[in-house]
Amino acid sequence: MGFKYCKEGHVMDPSWKQCPVCLAPLRGWLVQLKDNLPGTVYTIHEGKSFIGSGADCEIRILDGNLSRQHAYMTIADSICSIVDLGNGALIKVNNCETVKTTLIDGDVIQLGDLSFKIKLL
Protein backbone atom coordinates (compact mmCIF):
# COMPACT_ATOMS: atom_id res chain seq x y z
CA MET A 1 0.00 0.00 0.00
CA GLY A 2 1.48 3.35 -1.02
CA PHE A 3 1.43 6.62 0.85
CA LYS A 4 0.98 10.19 -0.27
CA TYR A 5 2.22 13.45 1.19
CA CYS A 6 0.39 16.66 2.06
CA LYS A 7 1.70 20.08 0.96
CA GLU A 8 3.79 20.30 4.18
CA GLY A 9 5.36 16.89 3.50
CA HIS A 10 3.52 14.84 6.15
CA VAL A 11 2.93 11.17 5.30
CA MET A 12 -0.74 10.44 4.64
CA ASP A 13 -2.81 7.36 4.00
CA PRO A 14 -4.07 7.48 0.39
CA SER A 15 -7.69 7.40 1.61
CA TRP A 16 -7.34 10.65 3.62
CA LYS A 17 -8.70 13.79 2.01
CA GLN A 18 -6.94 16.14 4.46
CA CYS A 19 -3.80 15.92 6.54
CA PRO A 20 -4.65 15.52 10.24
CA VAL A 21 -1.41 17.25 11.30
CA CYS A 22 -2.14 20.34 9.20
CA LEU A 23 -5.69 20.49 10.59
CA ALA A 24 -4.32 20.93 14.12
CA PRO A 25 -4.03 24.59 15.14
CA LEU A 26 -0.76 26.28 14.14
CA ARG A 27 1.30 27.16 17.24
CA GLY A 28 4.57 28.37 15.75
CA TRP A 29 7.58 27.71 13.59
CA LEU A 30 10.98 26.10 13.85
CA VAL A 31 13.43 28.17 11.78
CA GLN A 32 16.68 26.52 10.76
CA LEU A 33 19.68 28.79 11.27
CA LYS A 34 22.63 28.69 8.91
CA ASP A 35 25.51 31.06 9.70
CA ASN A 36 23.05 32.85 12.04
CA LEU A 37 20.71 33.55 9.10
CA PRO A 38 17.19 32.09 8.78
CA GLY A 39 16.79 29.12 6.47
CA THR A 40 14.16 26.40 6.13
CA VAL A 41 11.00 26.99 8.16
CA TYR A 42 9.02 24.09 9.69
CA THR A 43 5.50 24.59 11.05
CA ILE A 44 4.65 23.49 14.58
CA HIS A 45 1.09 22.42 15.31
CA GLU A 46 -0.69 21.80 18.59
CA GLY A 47 -0.15 18.32 20.03
CA LYS A 48 2.85 16.02 19.66
CA SER A 49 5.26 16.42 16.72
CA PHE A 50 8.13 14.03 16.12
CA ILE A 51 11.38 15.52 14.81
CA GLY A 52 13.80 13.42 12.78
CA SER A 53 14.80 12.14 9.36
CA GLY A 54 12.06 9.49 9.13
CA ALA A 55 9.09 9.80 6.79
CA ASP A 56 6.79 9.33 9.79
CA CYS A 57 7.98 12.56 11.48
CA GLU A 58 5.79 15.65 11.49
CA ILE A 59 8.97 17.76 11.36
CA ARG A 60 11.11 15.87 8.86
CA ILE A 61 14.69 17.09 8.61
CA LEU A 62 16.84 15.23 6.11
CA ASP A 63 20.25 15.28 7.77
CA GLY A 64 22.67 12.40 8.30
CA ASN A 65 23.22 13.39 11.94
CA LEU A 66 19.57 13.04 12.96
CA SER A 67 18.06 9.67 13.74
CA ARG A 68 14.74 8.56 12.27
CA GLN A 69 12.93 9.80 15.38
CA HIS A 70 15.39 12.08 17.18
CA ALA A 71 13.04 14.00 19.51
CA TYR A 72 9.49 15.17 19.89
CA MET A 73 7.85 18.48 20.75
CA THR A 74 4.56 18.81 22.57
CA ILE A 75 2.41 21.92 22.66
CA ALA A 76 -0.62 21.85 24.93
CA ASP A 77 -2.25 24.60 26.97
CA SER A 78 0.29 27.14 25.64
CA ILE A 79 3.22 25.12 27.06
CA CYS A 80 5.84 23.87 24.61
CA SER A 81 8.34 21.18 25.54
CA ILE A 82 10.95 19.10 23.75
CA VAL A 83 12.07 15.58 24.67
CA ASP A 84 15.18 13.77 23.42
CA LEU A 85 14.41 10.18 22.40
CA GLY A 86 17.98 9.03 23.09
CA ASN A 87 18.69 7.94 19.52
CA GLY A 88 21.58 10.30 18.80
CA ALA A 89 23.45 13.31 20.10
CA LEU A 90 21.87 15.12 23.03
CA ILE A 91 19.66 18.11 22.35
CA LYS A 92 21.00 21.51 23.34
CA VAL A 93 18.69 24.39 24.19
CA ASN A 94 20.44 27.75 24.46
CA ASN A 95 23.79 25.86 24.55
CA CYS A 96 22.76 23.65 27.52
CA GLU A 97 22.48 19.89 26.99
CA THR A 98 19.08 18.52 27.97
CA VAL A 99 16.92 15.44 27.74
CA LYS A 100 13.65 17.28 28.37
CA THR A 101 12.85 20.95 28.80
CA THR A 102 10.18 23.59 28.38
CA LEU A 103 10.70 25.98 25.48
CA ILE A 104 9.86 29.66 25.16
CA ASP A 105 9.71 31.94 22.14
CA GLY A 106 13.20 32.68 20.82
CA ASP A 107 14.99 29.65 22.29
CA VAL A 108 17.74 28.18 20.11
CA ILE A 109 17.63 24.40 19.77
CA GLN A 110 20.57 22.35 18.50
CA LEU A 111 19.91 18.91 17.05
CA GLY A 112 23.15 17.29 15.97
CA ASP A 113 25.02 19.92 13.93
CA LEU A 114 21.85 21.87 13.08
CA SER A 115 20.50 24.90 14.95
CA PHE A 116 16.92 26.15 15.01
CA LYS A 117 15.18 29.14 16.55
CA ILE A 118 11.66 28.55 17.81
CA LYS A 119 8.95 31.12 17.17
CA LEU A 120 5.81 30.46 19.22
CA LEU A 121 2.44 32.12 18.81
Side-chain angles (χ1 to χ4, degrees):
M1 181 160 122
F3 291 98
K4 65 181 184 179
Y5 298 90
C6 75
K7 62 182 171 89
E8 290 283 332
H10 304 126
V11 177
M12 293 178 38
D13 185 278
S15 65
W16 298 347
K17 292 188 189 307
Q18 293 184 308
C19 174
V21 175
C22 291
L23 288 175
L26 179 68
R27 293 295 179 226
W29 299 270
L30 203 56
V31 181
Q32 187 171 351
L33 301 174
K34 222 175 200 173
D35 300 323
N36 291 325
L37 298 172
T40 306
V41 177
Y42 301 90
T43 57
I44 304 169
H45 296 271
E46 188 168 305
K48 189 179 208 178
S49 299
F50 283 90
I51 304 168
S53 61
D56 56 342
C57 290
E58 288 80 14
I59 302 173
R60 186 176 188 205
I61 303 167
L62 298 176
D63 183 85
N65 294 320
L66 293 186
S67 57
R68 190 177 64 77
Q69 287 189 342
H70 198 86
Y72 68 84
M73 292 178 65
T74 304
I75 299 182
D77 300 324
S78 300
I79 297 172
C80 180
S81 61
I82 189 165
V83 177
D84 186 339
L85 292 172
N87 297 328
L90 283 178
I91 295 171
K92 288 184 180 179
V93 176
N94 300 324
N95 289 321
C96 296
E97 287 188 351
T98 185
V99 176
K100 179 181 180 181
T101 192
T102 300
L103 300 170
I104 60 171
D105 185 52
D107 279 347
V108 175
I109 303 163
Q110 187 173 343
L111 303 167
D113 295 331
L114 304 175
S115 294
F116 302 87
K117 185 173 254 186
I118 189 164
K119 176 62 183 160
L120 298 170
L121 296 174

